[in-house]
Amino acid sequence: MLRRAFTAPLRSSARSYSQQAFLEPVSTQPAITCLSLNRPEAKNAISLTLLKELRESLETVKSDASIRTLILRSTSPNSFCAGADLVERRTMSDSQVAAFLTDLRAALGVLESLPMPTIAAIDGPALGGGLEMALACDLRVAAFNVQKIGLPETGLGIIPGAGGTQRATRLLGQSKAKDLIFTGRSLNAQDAFEWGLVDYVSDPEQTAFDKALALGEMIARNAPLAVRAAKLVISRSEDLPLETGLDFERATYNLLIPSRDRVEALQAFKEKRKPQFKGE
């Protein structure tokens, strides 16, 4: 089934489209920015250049308080990220491969720890490093007709090397993660949803980006300091004993009490209007 093209107006420059990864603000939703992958001829396979530009984009995003939601997407329809660039990989020495994996791991660590919510819009194959990239996001949306979502590395004589064994296990549990990685199977969008690998599947007439944008709008309308605080507390929960986690939750809650956004929310409730949050 053919899906319609991306519909959200994005602000891009000619220079941006010469890059393999770059930031694109959504003109109709200034609080939402896209981190766009742009190697259509290679299905956004992760090259050295794409990885470098991905890292540069992430460094820019992490200190930008105006961004309330980040969507990781492909610039081309029916695409997401097919994993590492195996053509380029064949020309690399063992030490270069090791450096690449170190840099990719670091980039995905930055993506995972960004203060704002992140959404992967999976409009095409998400394989190997591409799925690992999506797993580093807070939420994943797959297009209805996506057929290839998986970690096929064992069929290439390796294992996932950029967090796949760890993030998939934390998301799915050991049994399903072992199944996914031992078999190297590819899941379609519906199966990935049933497994818990993706959080949403778009309607047949939608793209994953359309669905991700609607989800991003729902997030962005809330108080940004509160959303960032919630992400921080939830992300730390697995690492903390329950009582310590509850203490951390309370301490973080207390930091929000004097915020202008909280005062605005109470005033808006009193006046029966929508609050205008400013992240203050």
Side-chain angles (χ1 to χ4, degrees):
M1 178 180 295
L2 293 176
R3 300 200 307 277
R4 58 192 174 88
F6 303 132
T7 57
L10 300 170
R11 298 199 301 269
S12 305
S13 65
R15 179 178 177 274
S16 294
Y17 275 100
S18 69
Q19 296 176 294
Q20 295 184 15
F22 58 90
L23 297 173
E24 286 184 288
V26 178
S27 60
T28 57
Q29 293 290 337
I32 301 175
T33 289
C34 295
L35 202 176
S36 297
L37 306 178
N38 186 43
R39 287 193 75 205
E41 75 286 352
K43 298 182 180 178
N44 296 322
I46 307 169
S47 64
L48 290 168
T49 299
L50 188 148
L51 177 55
K52 173 179 177 292
E53 293 172 355
L54 176 71
R55 294 184 70 185
E56 291 170 351
S57 296
L58 290 169
E59 288 299 319
T60 299
V61 167
K62 73 179 185 181
S63 59
D64 190 337
S66 70
I67 299 175
R68 299 189 187 184
T69 308
L70 182 74
I71 299 176
L72 180 64
R73 67 181 284 268
S74 170
T75 59
S76 53
N78 305 314
S79 183
F80 181 66
C81 178
D85 185 341
L86 298 183
V87 174
E88 184 178 70
R89 179 69 58 86
R90 288 198 296 268
T91 69
M92 297 166 65
S93 66
D94 290 350
S95 62
Q96 288 173 320
V97 172
F100 176 89
L101 290 174
T102 298
D103 289 346
L104 181 57
R105 172 180 170 177
L108 299 191
V110 173
L111 174 59
E112 184 174 47
S113 63
L114 287 174
M116 73 288 293
T118 56
I119 306 170
I122 303 172
D123 267 304
L127 297 170
L131 180 55
E132 288 176 306
M133 198 181 298
L135 289 171
C137 293
D138 296 309
L139 298 168
R140 285 154 295 283
V141 179
F144 181 83
N145 66 349
V146 170
Q147 297 296 315
K148 294 182 178 181
I149 301 173
L151 296 168
E153 284 89 346
T154 53
L156 298 170
I158 53 175
I159 64 172
T165 64
Q166 302 305 301
R167 291 189 178 97
T169 301
R170 284 163 171 74
L171 184 65
L172 304 176
Q174 281 201 16
S175 182
K176 285 185 177 179
K178 287 176 178 177
D179 186 325
L180 187 68
I181 294 170
F182 291 175
T183 64
R185 71 170 79 233
S186 287
L187 304 176
N188 62 31
Q190 287 72 31
D191 288 339
F193 176 75
E194 291 174 4
W195 278 50
L197 198 55
V198 303
D199 303 287
Y200 297 89
V201 176
S202 73
D203 294 332
E205 69 278 6
Q206 280 184 312
T207 66
F209 178 62
D210 290 333
K211 184 85 170 180
L213 185 61
L215 180 60
E217 289 170 351
M218 292 178 64
I219 294 169
R221 70 189 181 201
N222 292 317
L225 293 180
V227 173
R228 287 179 177 226
K231 175 172 177 173
L232 177 63
V233 174
I234 294 168
S235 296
R236 289 285 305 278
S237 64
E238 289 186 341
D239 301 324
L240 300 174
L242 179 58
E243 286 302 316
T244 305
L246 291 172
D247 290 341
F248 183 49
E249 177 188 77
R250 180 60 182 273
T252 306
Y253 184 105
N254 289 343
L255 292 174
L256 297 170
I257 291 176
S259 70
R260 292 181 180 180
D261 280 352
R262 177 177 175 271
V263 174
E264 163 65 11
L266 293 174
Q267 188 65 27
F269 178 79
K270 178 182 177 181
E271 297 172 1
K272 294 181 171 53
R273 59 174 175 81
K274 292 183 179 180
Q276 301 297 313
F277 295 123
K278 296 182 179 179
E280 299 174 352

